[in-house]
């Protein structure tokens, strides 16, 4: 097996060190390590992190291969510094059987750019009525541990309760897309000052908060673990903070775009800003940043949602909801959390690698950068600044809200179990 | 003035007064035996209606024809807009045909804005109503009607609506007319009060330049004009209010309520009126109700807007107008 010596990298943002990879594992971390027999990567003060883990990715395969495939999506992930992604279940067919989740998992293994851990649907066809075969999906080769009807809310309180209870048998977790459906009928954007002016249907914060409040109480009642997807409001932060203080086993994620963008962008009527949950207000953005810093929000997840050009190049109401995010996530987190002093790089490693791996039980990912650990690593040039150019994306879709925007940081190298998937910013 | 007219909020006070003054000139054309000006000869204007509105389309069409423009009516009703492709495709077809202006009516808020700002098309875009967002020419014709009635036809020239108290009553939440009027009337110096049950007032209205009241009776004595909005009966089924009768009792305008208004105060309605629920026949048919004038004024306003947007730097009717005014 090949040896790689990464020389002079700031491991988790600390003092420069050498990291020696031997085969699939990290052989040594230290100063002045011998380069004998190893390919040398001069890190030159770049930051070395454990490979990033995304608990919330839409890969679109099977069914919408025109927007993304497992191959293009995992190449995008590797470009963004990820070594593992959890693929949401809202595909066609829906990932609600052992057969579909195994297919997605195998494609990830075959392509070799990034481990793909499928998320299983909670209910058959995401219809919210009948539990999917959660146990069979767990026992399949894919070993599903995270279940979600993402895109839709498990809004029936009894179905949610049963799902939370049922997955306890194998240590699973239900990831909830919190959206009260009646309160969000016809919703197009955050309900508030901007929606009132633009005459677009409002998506009120309370539609998210009321479901989170219910679900943490359900999790407490049945002694289960619940994960809140893409939390987006200041009120949601307060509820999760309260639940944690009460000892309820809840975790939560925030997307990069909710850390940076606000509903003011919707004034352009450009559907590139149309996303679910919608962009909120400046006040929400600051509450989310602080909550991620203090650990109330556990992780950053991308909600990478690729859509073909024609689904966005139209009037707002007709456009699809979602943004791509894998290739810009780390830059947005650097801008909003690191460059603002809210989080150091060790904190980023925790929120974007260790914690998501723990929540999703992706053993082998999110490990410390130390000898004996799997060599899942990403190297980041944190001094870089440049404009986002979607033409260079590995993702099949280009629906990024950051086109032409200057963002800091660039992932230059990614290693998946010692094998380089990204070298000098180019996919292998 | 800007190249497009998308929102009443885009108009400055001087823009708006210029449009109202130009509309007065245009109105004089309607009194002539031959109601036609050569102003837009050789120009092509498309009325692009994705949503049915015979009244608005005919009003624009009359305005365009009085200015001698070539008019194409395109009704997209029934065509598939579910993927949103038809707006862009249609726009590009019109662009290829060398269209100078597009008058667009669309069910989706923001569609005219997208049409004007997406690089799909070079023509001037005039919003003839989009979703629950804006209907700027409606607001202009309402302001024109108010200025004529409350300030005077000749005395009003060059004037705005400073100090006038305007009350807008009804389904503000779903009303592009209300949004447009609040913006324009505020720009023109009027004091606007919205009156509606709280369920029909948008969350976020607090940032609008107007007052909000839930009590019609206490507002009427302080109103120079009362604008009644259409309330669709289906709102009742969506629990915006309990019953049609209760709505009428609390927010309908009948003879007794009209009597609480000052002598000079007028009653307005964007039409079409559904007599009974929001307005009684007695009020609708009274001298103080301006519905029919509003329709006539609509043509004058739309002539003024088309003329000014399509490079009206030559005399519109009689006296010369300098480009600085635009
Ligand atoms: Zn979701």
């Amino acid at each position: 097996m090949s040896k790689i010596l990464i020389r002079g990298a700031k491991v988790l943002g600390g003092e420069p060190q050498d990291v020696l990879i031997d085969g699939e594992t990290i052989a040594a971390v230290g100063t002045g390590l011998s380069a004998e027999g190893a390919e040398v990567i001069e890190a030159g003060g770049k930051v070395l992190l454990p490979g990033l883990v995304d608990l919330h990715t839409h890969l679109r395969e099977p069914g919408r291969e025109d927007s993304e495939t497992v191959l293009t999506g995992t190449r995008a992930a590797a470009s963004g510094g990820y070594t593992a992604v959890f693929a949401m279940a809202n595909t066609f067919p829906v990932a609600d059987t052992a057969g579909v989740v195994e297919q997605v998992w195998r494609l990830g293994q075959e392509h070799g750019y990034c481990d793909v851990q499928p998320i299983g649907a909670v209910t058959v066809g995401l219809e919210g009525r009948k539990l999917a075969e959660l146990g069979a999906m767990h026992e399949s080769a894919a070993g599903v541990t995270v279940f979600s009807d993402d895109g839709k809310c498990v809004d029936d309180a009894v179905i949610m309760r049963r799902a939370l209870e049922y997955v306890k048998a194998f240590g699973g977790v239900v990831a909830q897309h919190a959206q009260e459906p009646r309160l969000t009928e016809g919703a197009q954007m955050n309900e508030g000052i901007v929606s009132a002016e633009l005459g677009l249907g409002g998506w009120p914060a309370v539609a998210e908060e009321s479901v989170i409040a219910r679900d943490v109480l359900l999790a407490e009642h049945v002694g289960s673990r619940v994960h809140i997807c893409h939390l987006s409001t200041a009120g949601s932060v307060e509820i999760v903070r309260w639940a944690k203080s009460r000892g309820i086993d809840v975790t939560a994620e925030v997307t990069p775009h909710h850390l940076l963008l606000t509903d003011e962008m919707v004034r352009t009527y450009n559907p590139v800003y149309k996303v679910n949950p919608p962009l909120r207000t400046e006040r929400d953005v600051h509450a989310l940043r602080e909550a991620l810093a203090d650990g109330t929000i556990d992780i950053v997840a991308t909600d990478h949602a690729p859509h073909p050009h024609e689904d966005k190049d139209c009037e707002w109401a007709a456009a699809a909801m979602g943004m791509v995010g894998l290739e810009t996530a780390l830059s947005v987190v650097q801008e909003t959390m690191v460059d603002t002093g809210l989080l150091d790089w060790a904190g980023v490693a925790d929120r974007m690698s260790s914690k998501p791996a723990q929540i999703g039980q992706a053993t082998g990912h999110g490990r410390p950068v130390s000898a004996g650990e799997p060599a899942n690593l990403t190297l980041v040039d944190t001094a870089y600044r440049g404009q986002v150019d979607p033409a260079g994306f590995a993702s099949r879709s280009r629906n990024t809200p950051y086109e032409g925007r200057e963002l800091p940081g660039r992932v230059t190298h990614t290693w998946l179990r010692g094998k380089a998937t990204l070298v000098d910013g180019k996919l292998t | 003035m800007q190249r497009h007219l998308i929102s009443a909020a885009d108009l400055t006070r001087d823009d708006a007064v210029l449009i109202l003054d130009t509309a007065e000139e245009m109105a004089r054309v309607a009194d002539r035996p031959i109601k036609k000006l050569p102003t837009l000869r050789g120009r092509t204007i498309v009325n692009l209606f994705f949503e049915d509105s015979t009244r608005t389309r005919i009003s624009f069409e009359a305005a365009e024809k009085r200015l001698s423009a070539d008019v194409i009516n395109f009704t997209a009703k029934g065509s598939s807009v579910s993927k949103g492709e038809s707006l862009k495709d249609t726009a590009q077809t019109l662009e290829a045909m060398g269209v100078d202006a597009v008058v667009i009516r669309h069910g989706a808020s923001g569609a005219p804005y997208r049409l004007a700002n997406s690089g799909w098309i070079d023509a001037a875009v005039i919003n003839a109503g989009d979703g629950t967002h804006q209907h700027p020419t409606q607001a202009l014709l309402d302001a024109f009607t108010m200025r004529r009635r409350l300030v005077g036809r000749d005395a009003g020239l060059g004037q705005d609506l400073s100090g006038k108290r305007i009350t807008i009553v009804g389904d503000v939440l779903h009303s592009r007319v209300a949004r447009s009027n609040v913006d324009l009337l505020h720009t023109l110096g009027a004091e606007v009060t919205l009156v509606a049950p709280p369920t029909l007032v948008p969350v976020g209205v607090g940032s609008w330049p107007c007052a909000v009241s839930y009590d019609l009776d206490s507002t009427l004595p302080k109103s120079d004009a009362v604008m009644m909005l259409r309330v669709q009966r289906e709102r009742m089924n969506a629990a915006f209010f309990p019953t049609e009768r209760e709505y009428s009792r609390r927010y309908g305008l009948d003879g007794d309520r009209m009597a609480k208004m000052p002598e000079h105060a007028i009653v307005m309605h964007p039409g079409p009126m559904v007599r009974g629920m929001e307005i009684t026949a007695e009020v609708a048919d009274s001298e103080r109700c301006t519905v029919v004038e509003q329709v006539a004024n609509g043509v004058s306003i739309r002539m003024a807007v088309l003329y000014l947007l399509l490079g009206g730097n030559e005399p519109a009717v009689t006296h010369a107008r300098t480009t600085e005014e635009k």
Side-chain angles (χ1 to χ4, degrees):
Chain A
M1 290 298 274
S2 59
K3 283 187 181 179
I4 300 164
L5 181 69
I6 306 166
R7 191 143 60 194
K10 294 179 185 167
V11 177
L12 270 49
E15 288 303 308
Q17 285 186 296
D18 302 340
V19 175
L20 183 67
I21 300 171
D22 189 355
E24 296 192 356
T25 53
I26 299 171
V29 178
T31 45
L33 295 186
S34 162
E36 200 186 318
E39 177 196 353
V40 177
I41 307 287
E42 294 291 350
K46 291 175 192 163
V47 169
L48 189 69
L49 301 172
L52 306 182
V53 177
D54 188 15
L55 199 64
H56 192 148
T57 306
H58 295 274
L59 291 179
R60 304 294 189 217
E61 186 175 4
R64 283 308 300 268
E65 290 83 355
D66 58 327
S67 48
E68 195 80 287
T69 63
V70 174
L71 177 61
T72 59
T74 52
R75 283 169 64 87
S79 290
Y82 288 87
T83 52
V85 297
F86 284 73
M88 275 298 174
N90 62 339
T91 50
F92 306 95
V94 170
D96 58 2
T97 62
V100 178
V101 293
E102 279 194 6
Q103 177 199 356
V104 171
W105 176 77
R106 273 187 217 290
L107 284 169
Q109 293 297 306
E110 280 167 20
H111 298 319
Y113 280 97
C114 181
D115 285 344
V116 175
Q117 188 54 54
I119 291 174
V122 177
T123 64
V124 175
L126 309 176
E127 283 174 355
R129 288 197 286 274
K130 199 170 166 296
L131 286 184
E133 290 189 349
L134 308 176
M137 287 189 273
H138 176 70
E139 283 160 17
S140 74
V144 175
T145 57
V146 182
F147 299 90
S148 180
D149 278 359
D150 182 59
K152 288 183 174 175
C153 181
V154 182
D155 70 301
D156 183 313
V158 172
I159 297 284
M160 187 62 185
R161 174 198 172 145
R162 300 282 184 250
L164 286 168
E165 288 178 305
Y166 194 81
V167 299
K168 277 203 290 186
F170 41 86
V173 63
V174 178
Q176 175 69 291
H177 171 122
Q179 177 181 7
E180 210 292 319
R182 286 279 279 140
L183 284 173
T184 51
E185 279 170 17
Q188 295 285 331
M189 67 171 299
N190 179 51
E191 182 166 68
I193 287 168
V194 182
S195 68
E197 260 179 61
L198 298 185
L200 288 172
W203 196 138
V206 65
E208 174 174 309
E209 294 155 5
S210 59
V211 171
I212 296 174
R214 181 199 73 178
D215 287 352
V216 296
L217 293 172
L218 280 175
E220 177 179 47
H221 182 62
V222 300
S224 297
R225 189 158 69 98
V226 66
H227 176 76
I228 308 300
C229 295
H230 42 50
L231 185 148
S232 70
T233 78
S236 298
V237 167
E238 288 309 310
I239 294 164
V240 170
R241 190 171 282 142
W242 171 84
K244 286 187 166 179
S245 75
R246 202 173 152 101
I248 297 171
D249 203 352
V250 55
T251 54
E253 71 191 32
V254 63
T255 71
H257 48 270
H258 287 110
L259 290 172
L260 182 60
L261 307 174
T262 70
D263 63 353
E264 289 292 328
M265 275 79 181
V266 184
R267 291 184 189 280
T268 62
Y269 283 109
N270 186 342
V272 79
Y273 298 112
K274 186 172 173 182
V275 66
N276 186 5
L279 300 176
R280 306 290 188 180
T281 67
E282 193 74 36
R283 181 177 154 264
D284 295 303
V285 165
H286 284 285
L288 294 171
R289 290 182 186 182
E290 276 160 31
L292 183 64
D294 72 21
T296 301
I297 294 175
D298 302 83
I299 65 169
V300 174
T302 66
D303 195 6
H304 176 79
H307 289 295
H309 181 66
E310 60 271 22
D311 287 3
K312 287 289 194 180
D313 191 30
C314 56
E315 59 272 28
W316 180 277
M321 291 192 270
M323 307 169 164
V324 293
L326 286 168
E327 292 168 84
T328 48
L330 193 60
S331 292
V332 174
V333 171
Q334 182 179 337
E335 168 141 323
T336 58
M337 301 299 297
V338 182
D339 293 353
T340 54
L342 287 166
L343 212 56
D344 58 15
W345 285 105
V348 172
D350 177 74
R351 309 299 196 275
M352 296 185 78
S353 179
S354 317
K355 281 273 172 55
Q358 276 166 29
I359 294 167
Q361 298 173 54
T363 51
H365 290 277
R367 304 291 308 164
V369 181
S370 53
E373 295 289 352
N376 295 316
L377 295 165
T378 187
L379 191 62
V380 191
D381 178 1
T382 58
Y384 176 89
R385 286 199 78 88
Q387 284 188 351
V388 176
D389 179 12
F393 281 1
S395 173
R396 179 161 284 184
S397 293
R398 301 283 178 271
N399 51 304
T400 174
Y402 309 119
E403 179 170 5
R405 186 177 180 129
E406 191 177 280
L407 287 176
R410 190 172 74 108
V411 176
T412 62
H413 293 73
T414 308
W415 291 274
L416 176 63
R417 281 182 293 277
K419 177 181 166 271
T421 54
L422 187 79
V423 175
D424 289 327
K426 292 188 182 63
L427 288 158
T428 57
Chain B
M1 263 178 63
Q2 309 192 351
R3 211 162 65 80
H4 309 290
L5 180 57
I6 307 298
S7 168
D10 298 339
L11 296 170
T12 64
R13 184 237 175 237
D14 289 351
D15 285 340
V17 170
L18 173 62
I19 294 170
L20 299 185
D21 289 355
T22 308
E24 280 293 358
E25 294 175 35
M26 297 299 179
R28 283 183 216 127
V29 177
D31 300 335
R32 294 180 180 179
I34 296 170
K35 302 176 174 36
K36 206 152 169 140
L37 295 172
T39 318
L40 296 183
R41 185 176 289 156
R43 304 295 197 96
T44 304
I45 301 175
V46 170
N47 298 317
L48 180 58
F49 276 56
F50 288 87
E51 193 183 71
D52 221 5
S53 174
T54 310
R55 296 163 56 98
T56 303
R57 187 181 54 73
I58 287 175
S59 179
F60 269 105
E61 194 173 342
E64 291 151 5
K65 287 182 169 164
R66 281 187 193 172
L67 293 170
S68 304
D70 295 324
V71 179
I72 300 170
N73 285 312
F74 185 99
T75 306
K77 195 178 164 252
S79 69
S80 166
V81 291
S82 60
K83 281 198 86 184
E85 287 164 330
S86 64
L87 177 62
K88 183 184 178 188
D89 292 349
T90 307
Q92 290 180 335
T93 304
L94 300 177
E95 179 73 359
M97 290 163 63
V99 163
D100 297 293
V102 178
V103 174
I104 175 175
R105 171 72 156 244
H106 202 289
S109 299
Y113 184 95
R114 282 286 276 166
L115 188 62
N117 292 284
S118 299
W120 299 335
I121 193 166
D122 268 337
V125 175
I126 297 160
N127 183 2
D130 63 327
T132 53
H133 177 221
Q134 282 276 333
H135 192 0
T137 58
Q138 176 73 43
L140 284 161
L141 78 87
D142 290 336
F144 186 73
T145 307
M146 289 176 212
R147 196 177 75 168
R148 276 192 156 189
R149 283 283 199 122
L150 303 175
V151 185
R153 189 169 171 155
D154 293 320
L157 286 173
Q159 302 297 305
D160 56 22
L161 294 168
S162 292
K164 302 297 176 208
R165 295 163 305 178
I166 318 295
T167 300
I168 301 175
V169 186
D171 185 358
V172 175
L173 180 63
H174 301 97
S175 176
R176 52 193 170 211
V177 175
R179 280 176 178 75
S180 313
N181 266 292
V182 168
D183 289 335
L184 184 68
L185 292 171
H186 171 72
T187 300
L188 289 171
E191 291 168 26
V192 182
T193 302
L194 301 174
V195 178
T199 47
L200 291 174
V201 176
V203 167
V205 75
S207 68
W208 293 11
C210 63
V212 177
S213 168
Y214 307 133
D215 180 14
L216 181 57
D217 288 302
S218 67
T219 314
L220 290 174
K222 298 175 286 186
S223 303
D224 298 305
V226 177
M227 184 184 299
M228 303 305 292
L229 300 173
R230 171 101 173 264
V231 178
Q232 292 179 334
R233 291 199 159 93
E234 56 262 35
R235 305 290 178 222
M236 195 177 79
N237 301 327
F240 286 103
F241 48 86
T243 63
E244 206 175 303
R245 274 169 47 80
E246 173 154 327
Y247 181 88
S248 288
R249 224 180 284 130
R250 293 174 64 84
Y251 299 100
L253 191 61
D254 58 11
D256 289 347
R257 282 217 165 97
M258 192 167 64
K260 295 181 182 171
M261 295 163 51
E263 282 287 301
H264 68 273
I266 54 172
V267 175
M268 306 180 72
H269 195 294
M273 284 186 291
V274 181
R275 291 163 192 240
M277 186 148 89
E278 72 257 10
I279 195 163
T280 62
E282 181 190 4
V283 177
D285 296 333
S286 83
E287 282 277 287
R288 303 166 79 172
C289 182
T290 61
V291 172
V292 178
E293 283 167 63
Q294 285 172 265
V295 173
N297 292 343
V299 177
S300 305
I301 279 290
R302 285 162 184 139
M303 288 173 76
V305 166
L306 288 163
Y307 162 74
L308 291 167
L309 283 185
L310 288 179
N313 46 13
E314 288 159 30
V317 186
T318 43
H319 50 268
R321 207 163 268 291
T322 61
T323 41
E324 291 85 60
E325 279 179 292
K326 306 181 53 249

